[in-house]
Amino acid sequence: MASISTRAPGDPVAANLTREQAIVEAWAQGFSVGSVVILILFVLCNYRRKILLHKLILLELFLAGWHGIFIFFDDPAYGWVLSSTAALLYISYNLHNVISWLKIKPFLPRWGGHLFIISLLLVQPYWVLETWANFQYFNILGNNLFKHSRYFEPLARDPWWIFTTVKLVMVINKNYGYTLIGLVKTSPRFGIMLLCMFLSIVFLATDVAVTATISTQSGINPFWRVGPPSPPPTPQLTPKRLG
């Protein structure tokens, strides 16, 4: 028997998802979790037990991989699982930036390395607030701050890894005399990585644009917002009288 929502029609709970929204969200989360699983397999193929960086990358992916399973739950577990796994995802974001710092630190001056990690530490209060706001919003605990705070996620999440990517390309170009095209020809895998980084930046811009312009509700990701609208209600038809 289908559960009946006791929440308001606009609340972000599982029972208020239309069939079309649930399908699109399930596909989105399936792609997300599946991509993390593939990345874990890639890391395991090159894993070295004594290398700290490999351990941190595996931990980062392990934490991120849980966010998506919430789609299998009904209310009220839906909101609690979503927010709990989102908290793990936020930790994964920051661990990713710590990994970026470890990668780029040898190529930065001493003050640059300090500035990188200190600036990352300075945004941690935001993530504490965002975790609280996420629990409040998706579990209908009385505060809708998440509708507004989510807009700032890219600023607290992405500058560090984007800087690391650009800086590494510049370092390789300067120290090894490779042009970008020559580097891609020499190492196609590096070219694939750069392509993925570029697509990530495009998706980031899309996420921000869709969040700010298309939807007035703060959903989970752009797929949720641009999902097919629910069909209009079927009109009540009355049979024509004969004669």
Side-chain angles (χ1 to χ4, degrees):
M1 181 177 178
S3 60
I4 300 176
S5 174
T6 58
R7 314 292 180 89
D11 287 343
V13 293
N16 286 337
L17 288 174
T18 66
R19 180 175 180 272
E20 290 79 8
Q21 288 172 333
I23 290 173
V24 173
E25 187 60 49
W27 274 100
Q29 298 307 326
F31 279 125
S32 177
V33 174
S35 64
V36 171
V37 171
I38 292 173
L39 288 173
I40 289 175
L41 294 176
F42 283 157
V43 174
L44 289 175
C45 288
N46 298 279
Y47 184 75
R48 299 292 183 272
R49 287 188 301 173
K50 296 183 179 180
I51 298 180
L52 174 63
L53 199 61
H54 291 180
K55 292 182 172 65
L56 292 177
I57 293 173
L58 271 182
L59 178 59
E60 170 203 349
L61 294 172
F62 177 78
L63 293 173
W66 294 102
H67 193 59
I69 63 171
F70 63 84
I71 198 65
F72 295 109
F73 291 85
D74 292 323
D75 300 319
Y78 171 87
W80 291 105
V81 174
L82 187 157
S83 297
S84 299
T85 55
L88 297 178
L89 184 64
Y90 297 158
I91 296 172
S92 175
Y93 289 158
N94 288 282
L95 183 55
H96 181 74
N97 285 323
V98 171
I99 293 169
S100 297
W101 175 64
L102 292 174
K103 288 180 179 178
I104 201 64
K105 186 172 65 169
F107 305 106
L108 295 176
R110 184 179 179 87
W111 65 266
H114 289 166
L115 179 61
F116 189 111
I117 197 65
I118 290 172
S119 62
L120 184 59
L121 291 173
L122 288 176
V123 300
Q124 296 314 302
Y126 166 81
W127 289 113
V128 174
L129 176 65
E130 185 72 344
T131 301
W132 174 83
N134 191 297
F135 273 96
Q136 287 283 318
Y137 181 71
F138 285 104
N139 296 283
I140 323 299
L141 298 178
N143 191 296
N144 289 332
L145 177 64
F146 186 75
K147 284 186 176 182
H148 308 287
S149 62
R150 185 180 185 271
Y151 295 128
F152 298 97
E153 280 190 17
L155 293 176
R157 178 188 63 212
D158 299 312
W160 296 269
W161 69 262
I162 293 175
F163 168 79
T164 299
T165 302
V166 174
K167 181 64 176 178
L168 281 175
V169 173
M170 293 173 61
V171 166
I172 292 172
N173 178 262
K174 179 180 178 180
N175 293 348
Y176 298 95
Y178 276 101
T179 63
L180 184 59
I181 296 177
L183 182 60
V184 171
K185 287 182 178 179
T186 303
S187 178
R189 289 191 300 176
F190 190 80
I192 293 173
M193 185 195 75
L194 289 179
L195 175 62
C196 291
M197 293 295 183
F198 174 75
L199 292 176
S200 296
I201 295 172
V202 171
F203 182 82
L204 166 63
T206 304
D207 186 16
V208 173
V210 172
T211 301
T213 60
I214 292 182
S215 176
T216 57
Q217 295 181 353
S218 186
I220 303 163
N221 57 37
F223 302 106
W224 190 82
R225 293 179 178 75
V226 299
S230 56
T234 304
Q236 297 294 325
L237 301 177
T238 55
K240 293 182 179 180
R241 293 187 178 183
L242 299 177

